[in-house]
Amino acid sequence: MSTTPEDRSGLSTETIAELHKQAVAVAGQAYAPYSNFRVGAALLLATGEIVIGCNVENASYRLTTCAEQSAIATAVSQYGPTIKLRAVAVANLNGTASQPCGACRQTILEFSTPETWIFYPAEDGTIAVTSMSEMLPAGFHLAH
Ligand code: THU
């Protein structure tokens, strides 16, 4: 028997659905005239707040901000530098499977705990869950 996203994350079906709904909604705000790949991210903070963000592209392509990074910058701006992520839900409007890119994984890691869970659209059309350590097993940590 496979473990459900609810069992793995400890989050309710309603919470997961709400995060997904908000990620889809904010993807509608994306500025993505170059890729036409509109992405939304909904963060559940450890305090219970939800913060959203979308991708913002640029004519100089490499200056694009991903949805996850946009949401995290907003969360820090709104709630300060001590935020912790309980969950991150990503969605896109193209109906494709997608997970956070490598750069976003490192950005999410910065505000993660062992109880940070990532929800994403899987190949089979369901919402899948993964842990931060599965998604980025050897992330960078700055040692002084
Ligand atoms: N994108 C995100 O917003 N998040 C990711 O994790 C992967 C990629 C955006 C960047 C760009 O605007 C578009 O998707 C296509 O790469």
Side-chain angles (χ1 to χ4, degrees), residues 56-122:
V56 181
E57 297 188 346
N58 191 276
S60 179
Y61 293 178
R62 71 188 181 87
L63 299 184
T64 290
T65 302
C66 286
E68 299 88 327
Q69 294 176 320
S70 167
I72 287 172
T74 299
V76 174
S77 303
Q78 288 185 335
Y79 297 106
T82 62
I83 60 155
K84 292 293 174 204
L85 301 171
R86 179 71 175 80
V88 178
V90 294
N92 67 75
L93 299 188
N94 292 52
T96 65
S98 72
Q99 293 192 45
C101 76
C104 286
R105 292 174 193 214
Q106 182 70 36
T107 304
I108 294 166
L109 178 67
E110 190 75 21
F111 299 98
S112 290
T113 75
E115 277 305 300
T116 301
W117 298 90
I118 318 299
F119 297 92
Y120 62 94

Side-chain angles (χ1 to χ4, degrees), residues 1 6 9 14 17 21 23 36 41 50 52-53 55 62 68 84 87 91-93 99 140 142-143:
M1 206 174 77
E6 287 85 350
S9 67
E14 293 72 25
K21 190 177 97 178
N36 286 314
I50 294 178
I52 56 178
N55 54 330
R62 71 188 181 87
E68 299 88 327
K84 292 293 174 204
N92 67 75
L93 299 188
Q99 293 192 45
F140 174 70
L142 186 61

Side-chain angles (χ1 to χ4, degrees), residues 5 20 96-97 119-129:
H20 178 69
T96 65
F119 297 92
Y120 62 94
E123 300 285 346
D124 64 4
T126 64
I127 298 171
V129 67

